[in-house]
Each structure stands twice: as structure tokens, then as C-alpha cells.
Amino acid sequence: MRRLIKSGLMFGNLVHVASPALVERYNRALKHLTGKTTSLSDFYVDISGYSPEVGHELDDPLYLNHAGVNRQFILLTTEQKRAPLLDMKFSTSRGILRQFIEENEPALFALTARDAVAGELVNSVYDMSTPARLFDIRRVRVEADTVGGALKQADALDEKVSRFMNEEDAWFDDVLIAEMIGLAGETGDVVRNPIDLREMSFDQRNFWTAHFGGTYLFQDVDHPALISGADRDHFDDLPIRYAFDLRQRNQIAKFLELNGLAEPIAKARGIDAGAILRQKMDFILVDALAGQGVALSGRSRVDMRRLARQHARHLPEEFHVLAALVNWAENGGPWPRVASDSPAYFYTLRAADHPDADLVNMLLSELSPKDIRQLFICHKPLFYDRYATWSAEKKDFVVEFLVNEYQIDKVGTRRALFGFEPPMQEDDLITRVGPWGAVRR
């Protein structure tokens, strides 16, 4: 894992906490939330304020996420919005934290200038003892305040100011005036500079959780289902009709089709399908040759084609199916029928254009794990688990590829792989093919 860290592929974009003032604020917030403190003089934190160094020191990687539910957070700076979320237990948590920070950025900037903001992502579930508890998670509410209670004090001051302005004889209430002066010394002028954080809550209907072997729950679709990495037999007595494990590929394929959640890469609009499929072929080739003494890093496209020809008989079905799709997309070859029980099937799909596209791409990456780029982008916890098991040759190739091909232009790569073009309007169609339609040759 050291090479991933040095290359910025793991623990990248964490926020460095090094000044004594920030460390002291962090300790106050940590004590407030957990009753613990750290003796470290500097460390790095993620978007939630979790620090792997502090977790190691406390021998508790869940010190801000007890039982893996109701994640607590510590904000020292609004710059944390750019950091990743480490040890993710729910796929929605980072998005919720980032939206909370962005929606409240001016107030959080003012609050964190003087104190740490501590809070919690609250739902009605306090343990994950059984899979049925997943269905009790319906909304996540964000609760936050400074350790010193600045927001509570601001609310109290606002209430006293209202009394002072509206009650008869309040001008002669020395106790009320003294209380206002005392609170104003802590909060500042809340009349001219109100301090407030928007109350925010989020629906939690479709999500992934690390619990129960890694579980995807789709409730807000026409045909709901639960899909898990654990054995299907562990999911009896659930308030849902369909529950599958990842081995039930036909059922998962039907679920994606019925709900319109995925589309074939070869037929998707606005992407270079041939280039994407060829790259997937390279990843499958690397996986097949890893551990056989073949040097894989530093190979050009020509080198990869040469390796594929030399080892064609030993390459898996996925490689040959994707090659047939590339032949169809680029050379007008016959359309290859790919059944859902084919090991290549999920390599041929990507999420369709809908609000849960990221979640579907995460599921597809788990069903096509040899595609190391999609696995890294869409499912980092699984990527890190798989990376630890790979041969040295494959690790070399993967790190080199991600550093040289992905890190250089993350946004562009994501757009090329997963972006959607808007439907063609009538004017666009006329511009492309002319007013009398396409000319046939």
C-alpha cells in the first residue's frame, strides 16, 4: 500500500492539521464527541475529520463512526470538502457531508475561524445487527454546532434581542441587558452578522453499505431489490420481495434491465465505445498474464496487441467477447450476442442517465473487477482490498496506469467514461444530417 500512498492513489487530498491551534481545537471536538484526545502534534484528516494516524494511536479505526452508523464529524476548515471519506460505510455519506459544507460555506468559514464544528449524520438506526435494520434508514439529518455551542448561544442571544425589542419595560431589565452583553461577547453581533447553519436532511433510499459483505439496496425504483456480497441465505425475512447475491448474475442483469439502470457501452451516445472497450481488454489481458513472469508496465498499445496475439489461446472469454464488440463498433462486424451469464456481460455495460448512476457504476465495477480503472474510480474500498492480493507485475501496471492515464485528468476521464450527452433536439438533427435526412451511400 505504500506505493499507492506515495503515488497519491491512497490517502490523497487529505487536510494536514499541523498548527497547535488547530490541534487544540481538534482535541476539544474529539473530547466533546468521544471523550478521547490525541497526543499527536500533526496528522491528516478526511472530509469527516477522521484521521488514520489518530485511529492508529487510539487503536480504533471507527472512533468517529461507532458501529459503522451515524458517522460523527469534525470540521476545522471548509477545505475539507475536497478531501475523500476514508473507511466509508455508506455510499451516501461523503456526498451528504460535501453538500452540507458547500451549502453552509460562509457560516462554516466564520465558525471555524474561532472553533471546530462538531456534528453527526443522524438516522434512526444505532446498530446493524441484522440486514432488516437497513430498511429503517430512511432519512439522514445533519446536526452540527461548534464545541463551544456558538449556534445555541446565537439562538439564545437572538431570542433575548427579540424580547428586548418587543417587551414593555425591557429597556429597564438590567439582568436581560447583562445577559445580552455576555452572549454578544461570545457570538458577535447576530443582528448584523447572523450565524446559522441550514437544517439539512437527505433521503436514504438507494445506497451501498459496507455491512453484510457489501450490500446494495435499491428501494426507490420500479422493481426494488437488495444485492449483497454475502450469501443469499443470510437475507431472509426482509420487507422486500427480491434479494440477490453477486453470484446471481442473471437475476441482477434482469433487475438492471427492468429498472432501466444500465445501458450497453457499445450503443451509448457521446462516448468512444471502441476506445473504452479496448482499454477493458488491456486490463483483462494484464490480469491473465500477471504472475507469469511477463513484464507489463511501460507497455505501449502496440506491445499490448503483440502480447494478446502471443497469448490468445490462454485469454479468458471476457477478452474475446469485448474484441467482438470492438469489431462491431469500429469495423461493422456482426453484433455479438452476450448472454447475462457470460463473464463478459457486465464489462459491456455502464450506468444509464439517472440520479443513481454512481451507485449503479459502483455495482457494475464489483461485477467486472478486472476493469481496474472503473474499480478505482467507483469502488475504492474494494479496489484496495483487491490490490493487496495482486501480483507484483499487476501492481506495477495498475499504479503506472492510474498515475499516468487517470490522475492527469480525472474529470475528463470520468466524463469520457460515464458522461451523458443531452438528447438531440430537432435543430441539432437538421444540422447533422440536413433537412432531407441522412444521405445514403
Side-chain angles (χ1 to χ4, degrees):
M1 296 296 183
R2 289 183 178 178
R3 186 170 179 186
L4 290 177
I5 297 171
K6 290 180 179 179
S7 302
L9 299 172
M10 190 175 188
F11 300 151
N13 293 330
L14 295 181
V15 174
H16 192 198
V17 180
S19 74
L22 288 181
V23 172
E24 189 273 334
R25 289 177 194 173
Y26 187 87
N27 262 329
R28 290 181 64 221
L30 189 59
K31 181 77 172 179
H32 174 73
L33 292 175
T34 69
K36 303 173 182 178
T37 59
T38 176
S39 61
L40 299 176
S41 59
D42 76 294
F43 45 87
Y44 290 84
V45 297
D46 70 1
I47 189 172
S48 73
Y50 167 76
S51 167
E53 297 100 325
V54 174
H56 183 266
E57 179 195 24
L58 300 177
D59 193 26
D60 183 6
L62 295 177
Y63 71 91
L64 286 181
N65 195 19
H66 180 69
V69 294
N70 295 307
R71 180 181 282 271
Q72 297 171 303
F73 59 88
I74 299 172
L75 298 180
L76 299 174
T77 168
T78 55
E79 289 302 305
Q80 286 174 236
K81 69 181 182 180
R82 297 183 175 85
L85 179 65
L86 304 180
D87 198 22
M88 179 175 66
K89 297 301 182 185
F90 286 89
S91 59
T92 54
S93 296
R94 184 178 184 273
I96 290 173
L97 282 169
R98 176 152 188 163
Q99 188 171 340
F100 171 73
I101 296 172
E102 289 178 340
E103 292 286 335
N104 293 283
E105 192 155 2
L108 288 171
F109 183 83
L111 291 169
T112 55
R114 301 177 61 182
D115 200 355
V117 172
E120 185 173 348
L121 305 185
V122 182
N123 59 59
S124 58
V125 175
Y126 298 95
D127 72 89
M128 279 288 124
S129 54
T130 66
R133 300 307 304 274
L134 292 172
F135 295 85
D136 295 331
I137 302 174
R138 295 181 177 274
R139 292 190 68 79
V140 175
R141 188 177 73 259
V142 184
E143 292 184 355
D145 198 349
T146 65
V147 177
L151 295 178
K152 290 182 180 179
Q153 292 176 338
D155 288 341
L157 178 56
D158 187 60
E159 186 270 333
K160 292 181 186 299
V161 169
S162 179
R163 283 178 53 196
F164 182 78
M165 298 296 293
N166 296 301
E167 291 183 4
E168 292 186 13
D169 300 325
W171 289 82
F172 307 103
D173 189 337
D174 293 338
V175 174
L176 176 61
I177 294 172
E179 290 174 345
M180 289 169 56
I181 293 172
L183 286 171
E186 295 292 329
T187 65
D189 187 344
V190 297
V191 175
R192 294 185 179 181
N193 302 295
I195 301 175
D196 191 22
L197 295 177
R198 285 185 57 193
E199 291 187 5
M200 302 183 72
S201 62
F202 301 83
D203 284 330
Q204 183 110 333
R205 303 288 288 161
N206 301 338
F207 58 88
W208 170 89
T209 175
H211 297 283
F212 314 113
T215 303
Y216 301 82
L217 182 56
F218 292 88
Q219 300 176 87
D220 191 20
V221 293
D222 291 338
H223 304 277
L226 178 147
I227 302 169
S228 179
D231 193 286
R232 167 66 182 82
D233 295 339
H234 297 159
F235 293 91
D236 293 328
D237 301 322
L238 296 180
I240 196 169
R241 183 174 181 181
Y242 298 108
F244 311 123
D245 63 49
L246 291 174
R247 296 172 299 179
Q248 296 177 277
R249 297 170 65 87
N250 291 336
Q251 290 88 335
I252 295 172
K254 189 66 174 178
F255 160 78
L256 294 173
E257 179 184 354
L258 287 173
N259 290 293
L261 296 177
E263 64 182 9
I265 292 171
K267 296 182 178 181
R269 287 175 45 81
I271 62 172
D272 188 344
I276 293 173
L277 293 171
R278 281 197 303 273
Q279 191 66 75
K280 289 175 182 279
M281 291 168 61
D282 285 351
F283 299 147
I284 294 168
L285 171 65
V286 167
D287 182 78
L289 299 182
Q292 297 187 22
V294 179
L296 299 171
S297 60
R299 295 279 187 170
S300 67
R301 174 67 62 185
V302 173
D303 295 331
M304 298 301 283
R305 287 201 300 267
R306 184 181 300 114
L307 284 175
R309 288 194 296 269
Q310 293 172 349
H311 301 274
R313 290 185 303 167
H314 306 293
L315 297 179
E317 179 184 343
E318 301 100 292
F319 184 91
H320 299 293
V321 171
L322 295 187
L325 272 175
V326 170
N327 187 42
W328 172 85
E330 297 184 343
N331 304 315
W335 171 254
R337 295 184 61 85
V338 186
S340 58
D341 57 357
S342 166
Y345 180 77
F346 293 106
Y347 288 90
T348 70
L349 301 179
R350 71 169 195 168
D353 187 5
H354 57 81
D356 291 302
D358 288 347
L359 182 62
V360 174
N361 280 325
M362 187 179 190
L363 172 61
L364 291 173
S365 72
E366 191 158 1
L367 293 163
S368 52
K370 295 176 185 177
D371 183 349
I372 53 94
R373 177 173 56 187
Q374 181 159 333
L375 191 63
F376 180 78
I377 294 172
C378 301
H379 202 331
K380 282 188 174 60
L382 183 60
F383 174 88
Y384 295 136
D385 287 345
R386 295 290 179 96
Y387 179 90
T389 69
W390 292 336
S391 66
E393 294 91 344
K394 184 170 181 177
K395 288 179 179 177
D396 289 343
F397 173 87
V398 168
V399 171
E400 182 181 87
F401 175 84
L402 291 175
V403 169
N404 295 332
E405 302 289 336
Y406 173 64
Q407 294 281 73
I408 291 175
D409 185 10
K410 297 179 183 180
V411 175
T413 299
R414 290 170 183 263
R415 186 185 301 115
L417 293 173
F418 310 122
F420 300 101
E421 274 196 358
M424 268 197 303
Q425 302 298 318
E426 184 177 353
D427 291 344
D428 297 330
L429 187 60
I430 291 174
T431 300
R432 292 192 185 192
V433 303
W436 297 281
V439 176
R440 298 188 180 277
R441 297 181 182 275

